Amino acid sequence: MFSGIVEETGTVTEYGKDNGKLLIAAGRVVTGNGKLGVSDSISVSGACLTVTEIQSNWFSVDVVPETMRQTWFFDMRVGSHVNLERALRYGDRVGGHMVQGHVEGVGQVASTESDRDAKLITIECPEELSRYIVEKGFIAVDGVSLTCFDCTPTSFTFTLIPYTAIHTTLGGLRAGDLVNIETDMTGKYVERFISK
């Protein structure tokens, strides 16, 4: 489990799409307090992956075909920037919302616009995801916990505060960019219970 509060951004230094091996240069998550260990879970732009190797300034994970199909990682390349968050420990403060790291699909940035010192970003997404996105509800975009509004059957908007713009990859989003989406799972459970 994660909180959707990004600890740092990392940089892809190696990515073998044929074997799924992904190396990410990072600092804080590798060397900081409570640093990563082999077999730990880590959120990489919203996808929960397992650490397979660690060195002083990088770590590796394996990206399996199902992850490739459900994320924008099919378009990832050396030099891509990713949001990183280590898994929560019981008793940790949760500043965002409970994020599983189970990316459900990919959205595309439709537009970005300034809103004083903040930024409004509208994401187009498939209807099979938008049905679980509600006004003022939780959404995780590339692993970042956000509140959505202006929800339609094919899109939603969120406000990006200056701090989040600077400390995550979301500040650099442009129209046409792809993002990983995880909706709040509560709606799916409710739907399943009442459909039986």
Side-chain angles (χ1 to χ4, degrees), residues 74-145:
F74 65 86
D75 197 39
M76 183 182 279
R77 55 188 59 99
V78 170
S80 291
H81 298 289
V82 291
N83 295 321
L84 302 173
E85 180 190 357
R86 290 170 289 184
L88 291 173
R89 294 173 295 200
Y90 285 103
D92 279 353
R93 179 177 295 153
V94 179
H97 72 281
M98 297 306 285
V99 177
Q100 294 184 321
H102 301 164
V103 174
E104 297 164 80
V106 175
Q108 185 169 42
V109 177
S111 66
T112 66
E113 62 179 280
S114 295
D115 189 17
R116 290 201 316 210
D117 59 346
K119 192 183 275 190
L120 298 177
I121 300 180
T122 299
I123 305 291
E124 294 175 343
C125 64
E127 288 191 46
E128 60 266 21
L129 290 183
S130 68
R131 65 188 291 175
Y132 303 110
I133 301 172
V134 297
E135 196 77 11
K136 304 300 183 188
F138 293 127
I139 191 83
V141 176
D142 271 357
V144 181
S145 175

Side-chain angles (χ1 to χ4, degrees), residues 5-10 25-30 82-85 167-168:
I5 304 299
V6 171
E7 295 182 77
E8 73 171 307
T9 58
R28 183 176 181 183
V29 299
V30 174
V82 291
N83 295 321
L84 302 173
E85 180 190 357
H167 292 93
T168 72

Side-chain angles (χ1 to χ4, degrees), residues 11-71:
T11 304
V12 174
T13 58
E14 185 180 317
Y15 189 30
K17 291 186 183 178
D18 53 339
N19 64 13
K21 185 167 184 176
L22 172 62
L23 268 63
I24 299 170
R28 183 176 181 183
V29 299
V30 174
T31 61
N33 188 25
K35 62 187 178 182
L36 279 178
V38 170
S39 84
D40 283 354
S41 293
I42 187 162
S43 172
V44 177
S45 285
C48 178
L49 301 173
T50 301
V51 176
T52 56
E53 187 179 354
I54 299 174
Q55 293 296 328
S56 60
N57 61 352
W58 61 266
F59 67 93
S60 67
V61 293
D62 291 328
V63 179
V64 297
E66 175 63 9
T67 302
M68 196 91 72
R69 287 189 290 271
Q70 293 297 319
T71 67

